Amino acid sequence: AHMLLGRLLQNEGRLAEAEQQFRAAVASDPDSGRAYVALANVLHANNRHEEAAHLNRRALELDPSLAGKVDNSPVAAPYLEDLAQ
């Protein structure tokens, strides 16, 4: 339920509320890589790239098949690269 509501809020541009829902999704299912990616995407949209990169890294640890869902934009990529080193 948190993921769906988070996506609806994100689509409406209500990013702070979407973040709350995605954080709740992570808390209720800490093994869900998709929840981490969703939260990271909202954080990237709010220019919180370093925090988002950590969440994306965790998502990939949980589910490597999510690699195509992780934000690898020119803005986000350096943060992921820093974590890889």
Side-chain angles (χ1 to χ4, degrees):
H2 293 293
M3 289 291 290
L4 178 59
L5 183 53
R7 288 200 171 121
L8 291 171
L9 291 165
Q10 184 178 14
N11 288 341
E12 292 179 1
R14 297 164 59 184
L15 300 181
E17 293 167 274
E19 179 183 343
Q20 291 175 343
Q21 290 301 313
F22 293 138
R23 286 193 185 280
V26 166
S28 67
D29 186 2
D31 294 326
S32 170
R34 291 187 182 281
Y36 285 93
V37 170
L39 177 55
N41 287 340
V42 168
L43 295 177
H44 277 305
N46 281 322
N47 295 315
R48 293 163 57 194
H49 304 296
E50 188 171 352
E51 185 180 358
H54 285 283
L55 293 169
N56 278 330
R57 173 68 71 202
R58 180 67 182 135
L60 293 174
E61 289 171 356
L62 291 168
D63 186 352
S65 73
L66 293 173
K69 305 280 185 197
V70 170
D71 185 348
N72 287 315
S73 68
V75 172
Y79 294 94
L80 280 174
E81 290 171 9
D82 286 347
L83 289 176
Q85 298 176 3

